[in-house]
Amino acid sequence: NDIAEFLYLTSGIGGKGAKSVSLSWESDICDLKNVIVSTSNDFTGETFAYTTNDNHIEIYNLIPGKYYWKVISGTTESDIDSFEIDDEIRAINCGNIKNMRDEGGCVGEFGKVKYGLAYRSSQIANSDDVAIKVLTEDLKIRTEIDLRRGDAANFSPHPSIRFVKAGIWMWDYVFPNLNPNRPYDSSYASNLKKAFLLFADEKNYPILFHCTSGADRTGTFAFLLGGMLGLSYEDLVKDFEMTSFYMGRRWRSSINYENGVYVFDKSGVMQDDQDNLVSLGKVYNHIMQAYGTEDGKLSSAVCNYLNRVVGLSNADIETIRTIMIENYCISNTF
């Protein structure tokens, strides 16, 4: 019910893109104004500069937290004010690229996943100038992982971004015995390993992974990455289903309000037919049954799958956790 309520009430987050911070001030000055935003009140922390001829500005893509700001025009400097972004979800406004968000922010079994390291999106080969600026200057993406197969674009939109092809298909094809009508393909496991090993090297960050729409193949990878990092099933469902708000109606179920609570209808998030691909419910049940351990944790089942099928070592997994989780302590999972 909590997931259904979240999806229903958050449905405005996607279609028009990410939320912005709107700053405004009173001024009779018509000259160019510099708006300075910083993480510290003395402006010695991470600082961002924007310019405008107006008395207001919309700012996108800041990491959630508290910020201080001031306006400078010539020799005139305003008082310092502050604002706070308390959304856990960091949706990214990136030109013509849809369905983009930071995979950080959630607090899981091992701690909080850091912002600014991993992003998911739709394909970026045809990025416009605004998108390229966001990717290279704002987010400073170093590595692009293209999860599409075949003849899909085999290049990065900018020479500063390393392009890596790691084609997979969604759920059914990367989990053995999940669906006998969509047979497991071991080549996808090899490509999953290639992709995950990129996360085991700090030089590759920040990393962006995507398919075409950023839904099912991207959702498969995000499920495994988040599961490895100790995120809950509920948080993984939220991340998966938010794509619905960007790419048209892709919800695996309708959401109704009944007896004071939000609920999925009978189709549920496990629906699996030719018009509606497998979503997380069926995957979760399968991975817990096939790879679950005595502790009953999703993180253990995901790591067991990554060990046995994908071929990641425990050391690889611990390295990724150390990089991506705040103040991570080597676990006793293995």
Side-chain angles (χ1 to χ4, degrees), residues 145-326:
I145 302 175
D146 188 342
L147 298 171
R148 294 174 297 175
R149 308 168 302 149
D151 296 328
N154 287 286
F155 58 87
S156 166
H158 193 272
S160 68
I161 301 174
R162 176 190 176 193
F163 178 87
V164 178
K165 192 77 165 181
I168 63 172
W169 202 239
M170 66 280 297
W171 325 104
D172 308 57
Y173 300 91
V174 301
F175 295 110
N177 304 313
L178 174 60
N179 186 345
N181 296 319
R182 298 174 186 162
Y184 165 73
D185 187 322
S186 61
S187 68
Y188 299 151
S190 299
N191 284 340
L192 281 174
K193 183 177 182 179
K194 179 200 295 188
F196 274 109
L197 287 178
L198 294 168
F199 283 81
D201 188 341
E202 286 187 282
K203 295 193 299 293
N204 296 323
Y205 288 86
I207 299 172
L208 168 68
F209 59 95
H210 69 84
C211 50
T212 299
S213 298
D216 296 296
R217 286 165 289 188
T218 301
T220 299
F221 192 86
F223 169 78
L224 293 171
L225 178 64
M228 175 207 298
L229 297 176
L231 300 188
S232 68
Y233 170 61
E234 289 76 14
D235 282 334
L236 296 175
V237 170
K238 289 177 184 178
D239 186 47
F240 180 85
E241 291 292 349
M242 275 191 288
T243 293
S244 306
F245 308 141
Y246 290 84
M247 311 305 295
R249 193 191 183 287
R250 297 185 64 111
W251 288 6
R252 275 44 182 181
S253 168
S254 293
I255 296 174
N256 303 319
Y257 187 67
E258 300 174 359
N259 300 319
V261 295
Y262 294 89
V263 295
F264 291 104
D265 71 6
K266 292 182 179 179
S267 64
V269 291
M270 301 182 199
Q271 184 177 352
D272 178 22
D273 56 42
Q274 291 183 349
D275 299 317
N276 196 330
L277 296 174
V278 174
S279 185
L280 286 182
K282 190 171 184 178
V283 173
Y284 172 80
N285 291 335
H286 174 78
I287 202 167
M288 293 301 292
Q289 181 177 2
Y291 304 101
T293 61
E294 291 183 359
D295 64 13
K297 295 179 179 178
L298 175 58
S299 61
S300 298
V302 169
C303 290
N304 198 12
Y305 164 80
L306 292 173
N307 285 154
R308 289 166 48 185
V309 178
V310 175
L312 285 187
S313 70
N314 294 338
D316 296 329
I317 292 171
E318 290 288 62
T319 298
I320 295 170
R321 287 175 174 173
T322 301
I323 293 171
M324 293 195 66
I325 297 173
E326 292 182 2

Side-chain angles (χ1 to χ4, degrees), residues 23 25 33-37 48-50 52 57 69-71:
L23 304 178
W25 55 92
K33 304 171 186 68
N34 296 303
V35 182
I36 312 300
V37 178
F48 310 90
Y50 309 90
T52 180
I57 193 169
W69 66 286
K70 60 184 178 181
V71 180

Side-chain angles (χ1 to χ4, degrees), residues 88 105-113 226-227 229-232 235 299 325:
E88 178 184 272
C106 286
V107 178
E109 177 186 347
F110 308 113
K112 184 177 181 178
V113 179
L229 297 176
L231 300 188
S232 68
D235 282 334
S299 61
I325 297 173

